[in-house]
Amino acid sequence: MRTPYLRNRSALAVAGILLAGTPAAYTALADHPSAVPARGKPYIETRLLFGTARPDGGPAVTDRQFTAFVDREVTPDFPDGLTVQSGRGQWRDARGAIEKEGSYVLVLLYPEAAAKNSDRKIEEIRRAYEKSFAQESVGRVDEHAQVDF
C-alpha cells in the first residue's frame, strides 16, 4: 500500500523540480541572445484596417471594388508584395455609435531604410480610400520586424 504513495510523492517531486527549472531556462536564453540565431533584416510591418460600411448608408464596398482599389492605389507603390485578409470588425464612429462591418486588413512589409518614403505613400493610400469610399478613417498599425524571404 505504501508503494503508490511513494510513487505519487516521487512524481510530484520531479514535477516540482521541472516546473521550478522552467523559468531559469527561459531566463538563460534571454541572457544569451546568441543562443537563438538572428534571422532576417530590419523591416517595418504596416497593417491598414479598411472598413466597408459607408457612413451615408450607401452600399458596402465590395470585394471587386476593394481589389480594384488595391490594384490602382497600392500595388504601384508596393510592387514587391502585400497581403490582404478579409475580416469582420467594429469600431466607435465620430458620433459615438458602435459600427460592425466587414473589413479588410492590408499587410505591407518594407525595409526600415525605406520607412520615410513608404510613410508618405501609405498616408496617400489611406486618404485615397477615405475619399473614394466616404470613410471616416483607415486604421494603421506599424511594428518593427525581422524579415527573411
Side-chain angles (χ1 to χ4, degrees):
M1 288 281 226
R2 284 181 60 83
T3 306
Y5 172 76
L6 289 176
R7 259 190 246 144
N8 289 340
R9 191 170 172 181
S10 297
L12 287 173
V14 169
I17 291 169
L18 290 174
L19 289 174
T22 300
Y26 288 121
T27 303
L29 282 176
D31 291 341
H32 301 287
S34 63
V36 178
R39 298 262 187 250
K41 296 180 178 161
Y43 270 63
I44 302 294
E45 176 182 346
T46 296
R47 291 186 305 279
L48 298 179
L49 312 170
F50 298 91
T52 58
R54 297 183 196 231
D56 62 6
V61 177
T62 66
D63 286 342
R64 184 181 210 148
Q65 290 171 316
F66 188 77
T67 299
F69 175 82
V70 169
D71 291 346
R72 181 179 65 251
E73 300 290 340
V74 183
T75 301
D77 288 331
F78 295 92
D80 291 338
L82 54 89
T83 299
V84 174
Q85 299 170 327
S86 296
R88 303 262 335 133
Q90 71 178 44
W91 72 300
R92 188 180 306 274
D93 69 14
R95 297 167 310 178
I98 302 281
E99 300 289 338
K100 295 181 180 187
E101 60 187 324
S103 61
Y104 296 99
V105 178
L106 174 70
V107 181
L108 301 168
L109 293 168
Y110 47 92
E112 280 186 358
K116 186 174 182 178
N117 191 37
S118 295
D119 178 70
R120 179 189 52 79
K121 293 174 182 178
I122 291 166
E123 289 304 302
E124 289 172 1
I125 292 166
R126 294 175 72 199
R127 300 295 85 80
Y129 190 81
E130 291 167 2
K131 183 178 178 183
S132 296
F133 300 107
Q135 298 291 301
E136 277 185 36
S137 94
V138 171
R140 178 176 178 172
V141 179
D142 294 304
E143 294 187 63
H144 292 274
Q146 290 297 117
V147 177
D148 189 17
F149 293 103

